[in-house]
Each structure stands twice: as structure tokens, then as C-alpha cells.
Amino acid sequence: MPVNLLGDELLDAQVQRAIMAASVGTDAREECIAVARRIGGVDLDRWYDEWHRAGDLAMAHGDTLLAAHDSDGARRAFLWAATAYRTAGVMLYGMPVDARLVAANRDQTNAFRRAAMLLPTPPAVVEIPYEDTTLPGYWFEPDTSDSAPAEGPVVVLIG
């Protein structure tokens, strides 16, 4: 069911995406709707501010949970923060590059990496050679337990 909170097809689609992302490993669906309602319309400055603030609050909550030795709760909070930061920056793509987009991408990466390190088997952060530079990536080791298949597919996701 489409979301219609902001009266703008593209912004509402991004809220819908955030709700779907929040449905995986977090309990932040209601927070997505609350953020959209605080924005209240087509205002990209407010869009960035509200989503980034949601990410900051989720990071602080994750730190509190981590200090209380609740690594599962902290991981979910950090994943929600990554979603909020991604949503903050996504509407700022364009030229010239908006410094807030750079900040949102940096914060999203930090939040995701903090969450990923709390997985039962954390991924390795890798650098993939590409032309004269490297691209960041994550290597998730396959399950090597006796119940895992001897061979399996490899999935490469490129954002």
C-alpha cells in the first residue's frame, strides 16, 4: 500500500522504502511515519534535518543498549540509524555535491559497520581494486557448519 504523507510521489516513495528497510531487523516503522509527519511537506532542508536527527537519536540509543550489554538491541538501533542516514541524504544527489550528502553517506557507513560488527559472524571490511582506486565492500563468510551445503552461490551487490 503506497504511503501518502508528504503529498509528493518521490518523497513518499522514499518514506515507503525506509519503512520497508525498517521492517528488517528493527522496530522503527512507526518512527518512519513520525519523521515524515514532522517534515510535513516538500522541504528538502527539513527532510535532511529530520531524518539525520532520527539517525543521531538511534545511534545514541544503540550506544546506550551496547553499554547495557544488549548487543541485539544495539545492532537493531544501529541498522535503523543507517536507514535514517541513508534516507536523509538520498534526496540531495546532484551537482554540485551537497556536503550534507557526504555527511549522510559517512554516517550511514559508520552506523552499518557498527551494526555489522554485532552480527554473530561479522563481515570483513574489504577494499576492492578498481581502476586507480579501491571500492569499499564487505565480505560475509559463508556458513561452514556441518549442516551448511558444501557449495553455494556467491552474491555480489553493487549500490
Side-chain angles (χ1 to χ4, degrees):
M1 173 158 73
V3 171
N4 185 6
L5 293 168
L6 300 172
D8 179 88
E9 189 175 328
L10 184 55
L11 294 180
D12 284 333
Q14 289 302 316
V15 173
Q16 180 75 35
R17 185 207 168 279
I19 289 170
M20 290 186 298
S23 299
V24 180
T26 74
D27 299 316
R29 291 176 298 278
E30 294 80 16
E31 180 64 14
C32 291
I33 293 168
V35 170
R37 286 188 174 138
R38 285 194 302 271
I39 296 165
V42 180
D43 180 341
L44 295 184
D45 290 329
R46 187 147 187 181
W47 173 274
Y48 176 85
D49 292 343
E50 291 295 338
W51 283 106
H52 201 274
R53 179 174 161 262
D56 289 346
L57 291 171
M59 289 298 288
H61 183 60
D63 286 334
T64 298
L65 292 169
L66 200 55
H69 307 289
D70 181 357
S71 60
D72 288 338
R75 183 182 67 246
R76 286 190 303 273
F78 295 147
L79 285 173
W80 160 233
T83 294
Y85 289 137
R86 182 236 173 248
T87 306
V90 73
M91 298 309 297
L92 301 175
Y93 283 100
M95 296 303 283
V97 175
D98 190 312
R100 297 173 298 175
L101 172 62
V102 175
N105 284 338
R106 180 199 61 232
D107 294 340
Q108 175 191 2
T109 298
N110 177 53
F112 176 79
R113 286 182 179 179
R114 294 213 39 214
M117 293 308 123
L118 296 173
L119 289 168
T121 305
V125 177
V126 297
E127 292 184 351
I128 302 160
Y130 177 75
E131 294 183 355
D132 295 329
T133 188
T134 60
L135 302 174
Y138 304 95
W139 173 255
F140 289 85
E141 284 290 331
D143 182 356
T144 58
S145 66
D146 291 338
S147 62
E151 294 181 14
V154 172
V155 177
V156 177
L157 300 174
I158 300 171

